[in-house]
Amino acid sequence: MNEVQFYYTDERFADIQMLRYRLNGFEALTLRQKKLVYYLSEATLSGRDITFDQFGKHNLKIRKTLEAIYTDSAIDRHTDGFKALEEYLKRVWFSNGIYHHYGCEKFVPCFSEEYLRSAMKQVEPMRLPLAEGQTAEELFLELQPAIFQPGYMPKRVNKAQGEDLVLTSACNYYDGVTQQQVEDYYTRKKVAAGKHAPSFGLNSRLVMGEDGPHELVWKEGGLYGKAISRIVYWLTKAMDVCENERQRSVLEKLIRYYRSGDLADFDDYCIEWVGDTEGKIDFVNGFIEVYGDPLGLKASWEGIVEYKDEEATRRTRTISDNAQWFEDHSPVNPAFRKKKVKGVIANVICAAMLGGDEYPSTAIGINLPNADWIRAEHGSKSVTIGNLTEAYNKAAKGSGMKEEFVIDSDTIQLIERYADVCDDLHTDLHECLGHGSGQLLEGVDPDALKAYGNTIEEARADLFGLYYIADEKMTELGLTPDREAWKAHYYTYMLNGLMNQLVRIAPGNEIEEAHMRNRALIARWCMAHGKGAVEWTRKEGKTFIRINDYQRLRMLFAELLAEVQRIKSEGDFEAARQLVETYGVKVDATLHAEVLERYRKLDVAPYKGFINPVLLPQRDADGEIVDVKVDYSESYAHQMLRYSAEYGTLI
């Protein structure tokens, strides 16, 4: 099997292609380190049901119902109805529910209501997620609106301007409350808490009670308690094989937080985690990112286990060692710069296991913690996930995308020569320095930008990377091979923001996902303000972009970075709204149709996701783990069904 064949599986459905990632160097870990990875991986997989439930209140019952049909020997697997149900189920697995993982719109099933009703009646009742006394018909009627009615809870995350974003979003973070009630509830908490206010709302569902809104906290003994107890069990096992005492302390504080649900304990854990820099093994486990909440308050559960790629980490360490230089030379107002950059830790890592909101679709870089005050006072840790980037790059070879969308052969050659190194470098700059750069002015609420906060933050980090990737400092530090390399990334970034990412949007829809809005905002703003630096052109009946002045484009990135940092630092909600709505949301229907048609001819799936490797503990006669082997042969469906059987804790 060649390299591309290893990464690029034949598992493809809907708009998705499944990939594999390799655990490079895993065999060289010590037995203690392997056991640590294994225990942390079990903790990472144990929270899977939490993410499903967070992404929609019907998701778990729908998943279990479909799995029961899919695995029932009495069901005819050769009918059109079954094949349509199989694809729908694979999409549900991939997106942790019935909403698209990127666009957040509800899936349209290609099987009929009658087919599902009939299939449910053929399944043994004990295999269905029936409530006490409930029949299969009653369960069908309960799930029917969520699956078949387009107007019932149509979007997981709605960010449409002028609408109540809480009432119109299907994510399971709120119940019976309006957007205004949510904002008022958490504003009161922040005002009372002062400077070091925790991330209020991060780990709870806000519901309306007789006396007003109150929180149901996600903790052991609380909401999601069964799943969290399993996570805690495996974290406790991991404590016995830690690499050092600081690592053990990190796990102790995380377990304390899971048991108390107290966000002050979460902040203590984050501070301890930032300071844990000596070990080779690291992890993220918890309620972390807030992209799945239209108000950017409540976090989805996620997990990742990782170990350092020591060789590749030399690149990111070079960047982090020079963090103060980058901050001091940033083109933003000096009032918005950090006077002293603290604790910027950056590594290239190998992912060993993905879970929750990081699986099967995942990030290629992470910068945490998210709390601004912790970043300012204690620093942050950033990772670029090298083996996932490697998998994406291998799978992209020979797709025909460059030949179809890049303007000429010279630019194609530039991209082929430099794209991989520049993509990695931009990710490093984005995660290591971009998110950690700048500061809020005294008294500014970190959540002042509300629904626009995630997009503005991603734009800020991207612009930081775009500006600096073209700096002579990159060549001086040995991070780019020469002074031409950055041009390759400028072209591919603009092409993606203006055209290529449109393949991820259904005709008639607007851009809603925060990262996509960010890229569109940057590219379109530069096109509008560049006075010909970037232009549209037609060739052989097709639309292309041409960059006429790369240096001018860099200055445009600098201008926009200065404005985006001002918006962030001052908490200027209206300016954020204007910027995002003007440049980051709307889609040109004519261009969109052309891009979709050209892309369709390439027969390339617009989205990629990963099948996890299987970690197999090898035990001696006494049951002690003597080694951990890695198996890459598990299929997508087998993995998903196994996960449902082994880690299904909430239904």
Side-chain angles (χ1 to χ4, degrees):
M1 180 184 294
N2 65 40
E3 285 292 291
V4 173
Q5 288 174 324
F6 171 84
Y7 295 106
Y8 202 68
T9 77
D10 58 2
E11 297 271 6
R12 181 171 172 178
F13 53 93
D15 55 358
I16 293 162
Q17 173 75 49
M18 300 306 299
L19 307 177
R20 299 189 190 278
Y21 60 97
R22 194 190 300 276
L23 273 58
N24 301 314
F26 181 83
E27 64 282 351
L29 298 179
T30 67
L31 176 59
R32 189 180 186 89
Q33 289 170 330
K34 288 180 180 179
K35 290 167 72 173
L36 179 58
V37 168
Y38 172 69
Y39 293 143
L40 291 173
S41 294
E42 289 297 297
T44 291
L45 297 174
S46 294
R48 179 174 183 250
D49 275 5
I50 297 175
T51 310
F52 269 88
D53 191 69
Q54 289 180 316
F55 285 6
K57 66 180 182 180
H58 300 291
N59 283 337
L60 285 171
K61 282 193 173 184
I62 289 172
R63 189 194 79 199
K64 190 163 185 177
T65 298
L66 297 177
E67 288 173 345
I69 295 169
Y70 183 69
T71 57
D72 196 289
S73 60
I75 302 293
D76 185 350
R77 303 178 68 87
H78 302 289
T79 66
D80 290 341
F82 180 86
K83 292 174 182 176
L85 182 141
E86 179 179 34
E87 179 170 286
Y88 185 87
L89 175 56
K90 287 183 176 181
R91 299 186 77 180
V92 168
W93 284 332
F94 190 89
S95 297
N96 293 294
I98 63 173
Y99 300 92
H100 195 280
H101 72 288
Y102 222 69
C104 293
E105 68 274 9
K106 188 162 68 173
F107 300 137
V108 177
C110 293
F111 53 89
S112 68
E113 294 184 41
E114 201 48 51
Y115 176 81
L116 181 61
R117 174 187 271 122
S118 174
M120 288 175 66
K121 290 178 179 178
Q122 294 180 61
V123 174
E124 286 290 327
M126 63 179 296
R127 300 186 64 234
L128 293 171
L130 299 174
E132 186 174 355
Q134 189 179 40
T135 66
E137 175 65 15
E138 289 168 337
L139 176 61
F140 169 80
L141 293 175
E142 178 186 340
L143 302 182
Q144 186 272 347
I147 297 174
F148 293 105
Q149 293 183 20
Y152 177 81
M153 304 177 79
K155 292 189 70 67
R156 177 167 64 89
V157 182
N158 179 37
K159 293 190 176 182
Q161 185 178 205
E163 298 184 12
D164 186 308
L165 304 186
V166 170
L167 293 179
T168 58
S169 294
C171 54
N172 199 15
Y173 296 132
Y174 306 101
D175 188 8
V177 291
T178 66
Q179 180 177 345
Q180 191 62 56
Q181 288 170 330
V182 174
E183 291 174 349
D184 290 346
Y185 180 87
Y186 287 114
T187 295
R188 288 193 295 270
K189 283 181 167 289
K190 290 174 189 173
V191 170
K195 182 179 180 182
H196 287 171
S199 301
F200 287 119
L202 194 74
N203 67 331
S204 68
R205 181 183 299 156
L206 189 67
V207 303
M208 180 59 73
E210 292 182 2
D211 300 323
H214 67 276
E215 292 179 291
L216 301 177
V217 178
W218 307 325
K219 64 175 183 174
E220 195 170 49
L223 202 57
Y224 301 143
K226 288 184 178 179
I228 291 172
S229 290
R230 293 303 298 167
I231 295 167
V232 167
Y233 170 82
W234 288 108
L235 294 177
T236 303
K237 296 276 285 183
M239 287 178 62
D240 294 335
V241 289
C242 285
E243 297 176 277
N244 53 62
E245 283 305 309
R246 187 66 178 265
Q247 200 175 63
R248 182 181 176 85
S249 177
V250 169
L251 287 166
E252 284 179 341
K253 290 179 182 295
L254 178 57
I255 290 169
R256 182 186 306 153
Y257 161 62
Y258 270 139
R259 287 176 169 159
S260 71
D262 188 336
L263 287 169
D265 287 340
F266 178 67
D267 287 346
D268 286 345
Y269 154 71
C270 289
I271 293 167
E272 192 74 359
W273 178 80
V274 165
D276 175 25
T277 61
E278 297 305 315
K280 187 178 181 70
I281 314 300
D282 206 350
F283 71 100
V284 173
N285 187 296
F287 305 103
I288 307 296
E289 300 292 359
V290 296
Y291 298 105
D293 176 5
L295 302 187
L297 296 172
K298 300 190 174 295
S300 57
W301 189 90
E302 68 178 55
I304 180 171
V305 186
E306 63 198 51
Y307 55 96
K308 291 177 189 174
D309 181 334
E310 302 289 356
E311 181 64 30
T313 290
R314 294 174 187 172
R315 180 185 77 233
T316 53
R317 286 292 171 84
T318 299
I319 292 172
S320 60
D321 287 348
N322 288 274
Q324 192 66 57
W325 184 93
F326 287 104
E327 185 76 2
D328 293 344
H329 291 81
S330 173
V332 307
N333 186 323
F336 306 145
R337 298 179 195 154
K338 283 188 172 77
K339 301 299 183 290
K340 183 172 183 178
V341 178
K342 295 181 181 179
V344 177
I345 305 299
N347 296 306
V348 178
I349 57 98
C350 281
M353 193 61 64
L354 308 171
D357 200 12
E358 286 291 334
Y359 167 83
S361 175
T362 187
I364 57 172
I366 299 171
N367 178 273
L368 293 173
N370 287 324
D372 284 287
W373 73 267
I374 296 179
R375 289 174 182 272
E377 296 184 18
H378 300 278
S380 63
K381 284 201 297 195
S382 302
V383 298
T384 300
I385 311 176
N387 58 337
L388 301 188
T389 302
E390 177 185 47
Y392 281 127
N393 291 342
K394 296 286 187 183
K397 300 299 183 185
S399 68
M401 285 289 291
K402 292 191 293 293
E403 291 75 11
E404 179 60 41
F405 287 100
V406 176
I407 189 168
D408 54 40
S409 59
D410 288 345
T411 308
I412 290 174
Q413 290 176 16
L414 185 75
I415 293 168
E416 288 179 341
R417 184 176 180 185
Y418 297 119
D420 287 356
V421 65
C422 286
D423 286 350
D424 288 346
L425 183 55
H426 185 249
T427 301
D428 293 341
L429 290 166
H430 174 112
E431 299 293 351
C432 302
L433 301 181
H435 280 307
S437 67
Q439 62 181 355
L440 300 179
L441 295 185
E442 188 72 26
V444 171
D445 181 354
D447 299 316
L449 304 184
K450 302 180 182 179
Y452 299 104
N454 288 335
T455 297
I456 291 297
E457 176 57 24
E458 291 304 321
R460 194 174 70 90
D462 257 5
L463 286 162
F464 192 97
L466 288 166
Y467 175 73
Y468 275 117
I469 200 171
D471 200 281
E472 292 182 1
K473 189 76 170 178
M474 295 294 103
T475 309
E476 176 188 320
L477 294 174
L479 297 170
T480 52
D482 56 49
R483 289 287 298 129
E484 294 295 308
W486 58 278
K487 294 179 180 178
H489 191 70
Y490 273 28
Y491 192 92
T492 56
Y493 190 93
M494 292 295 290
L495 179 61
N496 191 25
L498 293 169
M499 294 181 68
N500 284 359
Q501 72 172 8
L502 295 178
V503 304
R504 298 182 166 190
I505 302 172
N509 287 358
E510 295 182 340
I511 303 173
E512 298 205 38
E513 199 277 331
H515 297 79
M516 291 179 68
R517 282 187 167 190
N518 144 53
R519 292 187 288 266
L521 184 162
I522 292 172
R524 293 171 178 177
W525 187 93
C526 290
M527 179 73 84
H529 293 77
K531 298 180 180 179
V534 185
E535 66 178 3
W536 296 109
T537 187
R538 299 280 292 176
K539 187 173 71 170
E540 299 176 356
K542 298 178 181 180
T543 304
F544 294 87
I545 66 163
R546 174 183 286 116
I547 299 180
N548 297 315
D549 190 337
Y550 281 90
Q551 286 292 349
R552 171 60 180 147
L553 182 56
R554 187 190 183 210
M555 292 302 101
L556 290 166
F557 290 146
E559 291 172 30
L560 185 55
L561 174 58
E563 172 60 6
V564 167
Q565 182 63 62
R566 182 199 67 78
I567 290 170
K568 171 87 173 181
S569 295
E570 296 180 351
D572 190 340
F573 173 82
E574 182 56 28
R577 186 190 69 79
Q578 291 265 5
L579 194 60
V580 175
E581 294 292 341
T582 301
Y583 298 104
V585 176
K586 303 298 181 184
V587 176
D588 182 295
T590 302
L591 177 64
H592 191 194
E594 178 191 332
V595 170
L596 289 175
E597 179 59 26
R598 291 164 65 181
Y599 192 80
R600 192 177 297 114
K601 293 177 180 178
L602 298 175
D603 192 31
V604 177
Y607 298 99
K608 305 289 192 296
F610 290 99
I611 301 171
N612 277 327
V614 183
L615 299 183
L616 301 171
Q618 310 296 299
R619 301 179 185 273
D620 63 16
D622 297 322
E624 292 296 315
I625 296 176
V626 294
D627 198 5
V628 179
K629 300 291 187 183
V630 184
D631 178 73
Y632 299 103
S633 64
E634 190 169 36
S635 71
Y636 175 65
H638 186 278
Q639 182 159 106
M640 291 298 182
L641 291 170
R642 180 172 66 84
Y643 283 1
S644 293
E646 295 181 7
Y647 307 104
T649 54
L650 299 184
I651 57 171

